Amino acid sequence: MLALGSENVPAPGKSALGDWLTGKTVPGPDHTRFFLVLVLFLQKQAVHKPHDGYLARPEGWWAGLLVRARQERDERRGGRPPRKSAAVPPPAGPVRLPPPPDGFTGRTTVLTQVLAGLEPDTEPAGPGTDGLAEITVVASSVAGMGGVGKTAVALQAAHQARVRGWFPGGILFADLRGYNPGSALDAGEVADRFLRALGVKAKDIPPAAEEKCAAWHQELAHLAAQGRPLLAVLDNVRDPGQIEALLPWSPHRVLITSRQKLSNLPARRIDLDPLSPAEALDLLERALQAGGTGDTRTTDEPAAAQKLVGLCGYLPLALRIIAALLRDPQHRTLHDQVDDLDEARTRLDGMAYSGTDREGRSLEVRASFELSYRHLTAPQAQAFRLLSVAAGPDISTAAARQLLDRPDARRVLDDLARAYLLDSPGDERWAMHDLIGLFADELGHAHAASDQREAAIGRLHHHYRTMTTAADTHLNTRPGPHSPHFADRRAALAWLDAEHPNLIETAITSPVLGHPDTSTALAFSLARYLDYRRRFDDWITITNTALTVFRELGDRHGEGTALNNLGLALRQVRRFEGAITAHTQAADIFREFGDRHGEGRALNNLGSALAEVRRFEEAITAHTQAATVFRELGDRHGEGTALNNLGGALREVRRFEEAITAHTQAATVFREFGDRHGEGRALNNLGGALREVRRFEEAITAHTQAATVFRELGDRHREGTALNNLGLALAEVRRFEEAIDAHTQDLDICRELGDRHGEGTALNNLGSALREVRRFEEAIDAHTQAATIARELGDRHREGTALNNLGLALRQVRRFEEAITAHTQAATVFRELGDRHREGTALNNLGLALRQVRRFEEAVTVLSQAVDIYRRLAADSRSGHDSHLARSLLLLAWAGADVDEGRVLPGTLPAAQEAVELFGRLAIEHPAEFTGPLRAALELLAGVLDMLGRIEEAEQVRRRLTEMDPPEE
């Protein structure tokens, strides 16, 4: 006798074994268990030789194969007599399903996937390699975290399959209670239930679990032979061993739900995520309105409803619990419920309802998570608790290894992910659902001492500080040692990009956790990266956090450094007054401590902020003081930075030659130090100054070099700025197509980076280039967009510039009234800003538009205003005159001469005479530039004199014109 479990089964004789091996006979029901033990033993020996390529099969596969062999044996013998008369159709199989879930919503894609796996085969199975029909398990597994709605999806799919009539053999459901302590079902118990559901009498059901599973497969074989496929729904499965012996073979189907991935099952896994925000809102509304309550709270309080489903983590279980809590006191507002859940520490307490669902399961989110947690090993449970201390949306494997202080951290993370207590949103990255994170944090505080939670936080923070500092060395464009933690700048940026949200959250929360040094260290080491990636809001947030820490510690010097960085970030988001205050305070602190370097940096940054609000003289003073400080300290690089910024301020007050000198010196300094980034900035600024003195070819060279530097460094934002300036220089030498290309590239970069301010500037300049190639409608569109963006951003200066250019484009398509409106608005903007120079430009253009619709008196009025503006500016100019005054006088004279009516308005002749005088002087100094305008002024003066009947004077002017003609060869 061979002892097998609790049964004594007679061993087959040698002749019986020989008949089995030769295929003469098939093991009978009495020898089923013996057969399974034998083949599983032989299979275990076979898999010890992997080079043979043998694929192990589960016990259920062999049991099914045995049933199939017995069936074929019976068919060869003529088959068993049918249970029913052939004329009587077989009865419909049993349906043992819980009712479909109330208020089920969404999950369209998931349901489609599940139903695709359940749909019966349209073709019969073909023969396998062993001559038998191919036997396969067609299984689908709906897997996900506790409370995500796996059972609801499975039941919805099963009921849809029932309605479609896919399973005439029946649909059977079993909750295997895989996570219920001490009450989980095994395969034998489920097989027993299923056999009884199929009508097998209790006395015919074998007592042993293995025999029950074999009998289950025998019944499935009979159903298959009758063409009656069956669906088995196995809910709440913990591990494959619980159900392997149950898995039915084709044409039957099995649908499994589990909190584990069950990767070694032959099943098509469908991972279930939380609902989308819209689906979650719909579920809440349906649950509140169940039973025809007519509840309208979700529509009455849309903002609170959106926040409420977010606080529930879009988790169906949490949403149903909250709906149950809200249904009893229907006067309770969603806003009140949000208030109850808003405090993270007690949120899970608010997600509990004193009752159970229709399957007897607890309506409590914490209890649902607890079921998964109980089945973790001690190392897994400790890792689960410690992972809750990681701030931010996820954690990398490398960071988790430091946090957990485990070399096998990757394996533990995988274990938690298989249990759906962790998610893997990306390669080597791990995340917790918000509510699971709260649950883990509760447990973490309860086990803080045994887990050594404080030490774990310290290890994680040390890792973040060390790696961020190392990455920052690669972002410093000055020559110097780079940390070996990263291969190069690209690798450092990739790490910072991946960890950026975690680093920001760590910097914000670390003071509360008793690690203020982490906050201050990250605020400083991330500054260069956040500036480079233009994440200014994050920069402001963590710098303000560090500033608070320094003030609480009484660290004045640290406070000064934080203020200086804060000013830089505020300037980038155009909060200029705040930046000026921060830099001023920083300079005062550094001066108080005798920190000359710090003072110089703060003064330099102060000057840049002052320039942004057009306080240029103060900016020049600040930059000059900064340059002096650095020069006295022998800090050539700092001096170069101050000189570069000084040049920008000098350019704004039209001291162009001094600006060119400052930028040239700065570029030289940066080149000496190998600071390519600084060199690029200086070259770009130099190009702008060169444009102002009409040295366009040199400007093109400077801007091209700057764009190349920034492109090589991967600085997309500054590359776009250089391309924009290059386009301006190209337009000046009438290389308009190249200018359009440069501005278009800049526009693409700004949109890629989400830089609305830069986008508006690029559009405005692109529009100007498009005008020059007569693509007027495109130009109008570009200028209109530019003005809109500037208005949205509150940048009135650029709004005025875009409006002025829009007027020029509108005039080209003879939309004069619209042009007049645009120029009028531009002039008003510049007047309000106190920008007299640009106000004069807008008035000149307005006067031209008015003249084109023959509104001569109005044209003369606004052009006279422009002349007055430029006369005052010329008086303040170091050269004593200005070409803009001469041009305004010429336009005034032209507007006052109404040739069609033969009249000359008052002031026209003096304007023409003064224009000739000024252009005459300018032509002597710059003949190439001003000889043409001088000729135009002389011709206009002659015409005005003719209209006034002063013929001899007109002839004298014309003789002067003749004298200007080059001699004939």
Side-chain angles (χ1 to χ4, degrees):
M1 305 292 286
L2 178 66
L4 296 175
S6 61
E7 302 280 339
N8 286 327
V9 181
K14 291 183 179 180
S15 60
L17 286 172
D19 289 343
W20 293 358
L21 294 173
T22 58
K24 289 181 180 180
T25 61
V26 176
D30 290 343
H31 289 131
T32 297
R33 183 59 185 153
F34 185 93
F35 166 78
L36 291 175
V37 170
L38 177 61
V39 295
L40 291 174
F41 170 77
L42 294 174
Q43 177 170 264
K44 185 176 181 181
Q45 301 303 310
V47 296
H48 287 165
K49 300 179 180 180
H51 59 277
D52 291 340
Y54 179 77
L55 177 64
R57 302 282 192 176
E59 180 178 333
W61 189 90
W62 292 108
L65 186 64
L66 180 58
V67 169
R68 191 66 170 269
R70 288 172 180 161
Q71 180 182 353
E72 290 193 1
R73 179 196 62 186
D74 293 340
E75 290 172 354
R76 285 197 298 271
R77 292 176 176 175
R80 293 180 177 177
R83 297 181 178 181
K84 299 285 184 178
S85 168
V88 180
V95 175
R96 299 290 187 269
L97 275 179
D102 291 331
F104 186 88
T105 185
R107 304 297 197 195
T108 303
T109 301
V110 170
L111 273 175
T112 300
Q113 293 173 334
V114 174
L115 289 169
L118 298 183
E119 188 172 5
D121 293 328
T122 55
E123 297 292 336
T129 56
D130 56 3
L132 294 174
E134 183 65 25
I135 299 176
T136 58
V137 172
V138 184
S140 296
S141 170
V142 179
M145 62 183 285
V148 79
K150 301 178 293 296
T151 302
V153 168
L155 289 176
Q156 187 74 8
H159 278 284
Q160 288 195 23
R162 175 185 59 80
V163 171
R164 298 180 188 190
W166 283 356
F167 297 104
I171 301 177
L172 304 180
F173 175 90
D175 178 2
L176 279 85
R177 302 197 295 272
Y179 293 86
N180 292 37
S183 61
L185 300 184
D186 61 24
E189 292 175 279
V190 177
D192 188 286
R193 294 186 184 189
F194 282 177
L195 287 169
R196 294 173 188 272
L198 290 174
V200 177
K201 294 180 180 179
K203 66 182 181 64
D204 295 329
I205 298 176
E210 295 82 359
E211 289 297 324
K212 289 179 181 181
C213 292
W216 158 245
H217 282 285
Q218 185 72 46
E219 289 298 318
L220 290 173
H222 291 318
L223 290 171
Q226 296 170 4
R228 298 170 62 203
L230 172 145
L231 169 64
V233 181
L234 305 177
D235 187 36
N236 205 11
V237 174
R238 187 176 75 239
D239 59 66
Q242 212 179 354
I243 59 169
E244 266 186 333
L246 287 172
L247 297 179
W249 304 92
S250 181
H252 308 296
R253 299 288 187 268
V254 61
L255 180 56
I256 303 160
T257 75
S258 180
R259 300 184 185 200
Q260 297 282 342
K261 291 186 182 292
L262 305 180
S263 301
N264 54 344
L265 272 184
R268 176 189 184 190
R269 189 177 76 237
I270 299 163
D271 290 321
L272 200 59
D273 296 321
L275 297 167
S276 71
E279 290 172 336
L281 193 61
D282 190 28
L283 175 58
L284 178 63
E285 184 174 30
R286 287 170 182 255
L288 289 174
Q289 294 180 353
T293 63
D295 196 310
T296 61
R297 280 176 284 185
T298 56
T299 53
D300 294 341
E301 303 176 70
Q306 289 284 1
K307 186 166 185 182
L308 184 58
V309 297
L311 289 171
C312 290
Y314 311 112
L315 206 60
L317 173 62
L319 291 163
R320 292 185 185 280
I321 291 170
I322 294 303
L325 292 170
L326 286 166
R327 279 172 65 89
D328 292 338
Q330 292 198 8
H331 61 278
R332 182 173 175 77
T333 68
L334 300 189
H335 183 78
D336 290 340
Q337 191 68 50
V338 165
D339 286 344
D340 283 352
L341 298 179
D342 218 10
E343 176 54 54
R345 292 175 300 174
T346 58
R347 188 172 306 157
L348 292 179
D349 295 331
M351 293 183 179
Y353 183 77
S354 57
T356 60
D357 64 11
R358 288 184 305 194
E359 283 74 53
R361 297 168 182 170
S362 172
L363 286 175
E364 183 180 355
V365 171
R366 184 187 284 107
S368 176
F369 296 160
E370 178 72 27
L371 293 177
S372 295
Y373 174 72
R374 286 176 185 168
H375 292 276
L376 298 178
T377 65
Q380 291 168 357
Q382 183 187 50
F384 176 69
R385 297 189 297 265
L386 286 178
L387 285 168
S388 67
V389 307
D394 63 11
I395 188 171
S396 69
T397 302
R401 190 174 292 115
Q402 298 300 317
L403 169 68
L404 303 178
D405 195 24
R406 297 182 62 98
D408 64 342
R410 180 66 166 77
R411 179 180 59 77
V412 177
L413 294 169
D414 273 331
D415 292 340
L416 293 173
R418 276 192 289 271
Y420 286 95
L421 292 172
L422 273 186
D423 185 26
S424 183
D427 186 31
E428 297 298 327
R429 305 204 72 81
W430 311 87
M432 280 184 176
H433 184 275
D434 289 349
L435 296 182
I436 286 183
L438 292 176
F439 175 66
D441 192 51
E442 284 183 357
L443 295 170
H445 282 289
H447 295 79
S450 60
D451 289 345
Q452 296 184 312
R453 184 180 172 97
E454 277 301 312
I457 293 173
R459 290 193 301 270
L460 179 63
H461 285 197
H462 176 74
H463 168 74
Y464 282 150
R465 292 197 306 269
T466 301
M467 296 298 288
T468 305
T469 302
D472 187 52
T473 65
H474 289 269
L475 268 61
N476 190 343
T477 57
R478 294 176 62 180
H482 294 152
S483 170
H485 280 295
F486 297 99
D488 52 25
R489 177 185 174 89
R490 186 184 300 274
L493 277 171
W495 184 85
L496 286 166
D497 287 340
E499 296 292 349
H500 154 255
N502 301 320
L503 298 172
I504 296 301
E505 193 65 24
T506 299
I508 295 170
T509 58
S510 57
V512 179
L513 296 175
H515 293 264
D517 54 328
T518 296
S519 177
T520 55
L522 289 178
F524 292 155
S525 57
L526 281 171
R528 204 183 327 258
Y529 166 76
L530 295 172
D531 182 32
Y532 178 76
R533 286 297 195 219
R534 304 187 64 74
R535 289 173 168 147
F536 303 123
D537 288 338
D538 286 339
W539 192 5
I540 291 168
T541 298
I542 65 171
T543 307
N544 270 321
T545 302
L547 184 60
T548 300
V549 168
F550 285 127
R551 284 174 173 164
E552 289 176 351
L553 294 173
D555 184 344
R556 288 280 286 163
H557 194 272
E559 180 184 352
T561 304
L563 281 166
N564 201 29
N565 281 359
L566 178 61
L568 292 172
L570 290 170
R571 177 157 59 91
Q572 293 290 356
V573 295
R574 309 190 66 75
R575 291 165 59 181
F576 301 125
E577 294 301 333
I580 290 168
T581 299
H583 290 311
T584 302
Q585 291 175 351
D588 290 343
I589 290 173
F590 291 132
R591 196 175 295 116
E592 169 191 326
F593 275 83
D595 181 351
R596 296 277 282 157
H597 260 113
E599 181 186 355
R601 289 192 299 271
L603 285 169
N604 191 32
N605 294 332
L606 173 61
S608 297
L610 288 165
E612 292 286 359
V613 293
R614 312 191 70 76
R615 291 160 61 179
F616 298 121
E617 294 300 337
E618 294 172 78
I620 290 169
T621 299
H623 289 312
T624 302
Q625 289 174 349
T628 301
V629 167
F630 290 128
R631 191 176 301 116
E632 292 173 354
L633 293 172
D635 182 351
R636 286 274 289 157
H637 189 272
E639 182 185 356
T641 304
L643 286 169
N644 192 33
N645 292 336
L646 173 61
L650 289 166
R651 185 174 144 206
E652 291 291 345
V653 295
R654 310 186 69 75
R655 291 161 60 178
F656 301 125
E657 294 300 337
E658 295 172 79
I660 290 170
T661 299
H663 291 313
T664 302
Q665 290 175 349
T668 301
V669 169
F670 292 134
R671 198 173 296 118
E672 288 174 3
F673 278 83
D675 182 354
R676 298 213 66 212
H677 206 271
E679 181 185 356
R681 294 196 306 272
L683 286 169
N684 197 31
N685 291 336
L686 174 61
L690 289 166
R691 289 202 322 269
E692 297 288 355
V693 293
R694 309 189 67 78
R695 291 160 61 179
F696 299 124
E697 293 299 336
E698 294 173 78
I700 290 169
T701 299
H703 290 313
T704 302
Q705 290 174 346
T708 301
V709 167
F710 293 132
R711 188 177 303 116
E712 291 173 354
L713 292 174
D715 189 338
R716 295 284 283 160
H717 182 261
R718 287 189 172 87
E719 178 190 352
T721 303
L723 286 167
N724 180 59
N725 293 335
L726 174 60
L728 296 174
L730 289 165
E732 292 287 357
V733 293
R734 308 194 64 76
R735 291 159 61 179
F736 298 120
E737 294 298 340
E738 293 173 77
I740 289 170
D741 180 62
H743 290 310
T744 302
Q745 289 182 57
D746 175 34
L747 180 61
D748 291 342
I749 290 172
C750 291
R751 285 174 171 165
E752 169 194 325
L753 297 176
D755 180 3
R756 291 281 284 163
H757 190 271
E759 180 184 356
T761 301
L763 282 165
N764 195 33
N765 293 332
L766 175 61
S768 297
L770 289 166
R771 283 202 324 268
E772 297 291 348
V773 293
R774 306 190 66 75
R775 291 161 61 178
F776 300 125
E777 294 300 335
E778 294 173 74
I780 290 169
D781 182 60
H783 290 312
T784 301
Q785 289 184 58
T788 300
I789 290 172
R791 192 174 302 115
E792 290 172 357
L793 296 175
D795 188 342
R796 304 225 52 215
H797 195 272
R798 283 181 170 79
E799 179 188 356
T801 302
L803 286 168
N804 195 38
N805 289 337
L806 174 61
L808 296 176
L810 289 165
R811 278 166 46 203
Q812 294 289 342
V813 292
R814 306 189 66 77
R815 290 161 61 178
F816 297 122
E817 293 302 331
E818 294 172 78
I820 289 168
T821 299
H823 289 311
T824 301
Q825 291 174 343
T828 301
V829 167
F830 291 130
R831 186 178 305 115
E832 292 172 354
L833 293 174
D835 187 341
R836 303 291 283 163
H837 179 79
R838 286 183 173 83
E839 180 190 353
T841 301
L843 288 170
N844 278 337
N845 291 328
L846 174 59
L848 290 172
L850 288 166
R851 188 189 188 283
Q852 285 179 292
V853 292
R854 303 186 60 75
R855 290 160 62 178
F856 296 106
E857 287 83 359
E858 294 173 75
V860 167
T861 298
V862 298
L863 288 167
S864 297
Q865 293 172 5
V867 166
D868 290 342
I869 287 171
Y870 286 122
R871 197 180 300 283
R872 285 193 293 272
L873 290 174
D876 295 336
S877 171
R878 293 189 176 190
S879 60
H881 61 265
D882 192 353
S883 62
H884 293 283
L885 174 58
R887 293 181 191 279
S888 290
L889 286 164
L890 180 60
L891 292 175
L892 174 59
W894 180 63
D898 184 355
V899 178
D900 292 339
E901 296 294 332
R903 64 173 181 158
V904 177
L905 296 179
T908 300
L909 180 59
Q913 291 170 330
E914 189 177 359
V916 167
E917 178 185 354
L918 286 176
F919 278 127
R921 281 191 234 158
L922 290 167
I924 293 172
E925 298 177 12
H926 306 283
E929 184 177 354
F930 292 107
T931 298
L934 173 59
R935 292 185 65 89
L938 287 166
E939 289 170 356
L940 179 60
L941 176 58
V944 170
L945 289 168
D946 279 337
M947 292 172 68
L948 292 172
R950 297 163 64 169
I951 306 303
E952 289 185 5
E953 294 174 74
E955 286 302 318
Q956 290 176 358
V957 174
R958 291 192 175 93
R959 280 196 293 273
R960 183 176 173 184
L961 277 167
T962 303
E963 292 169 359
M964 290 177 62
D965 292 335
E968 296 183 5
E969 295 182 0

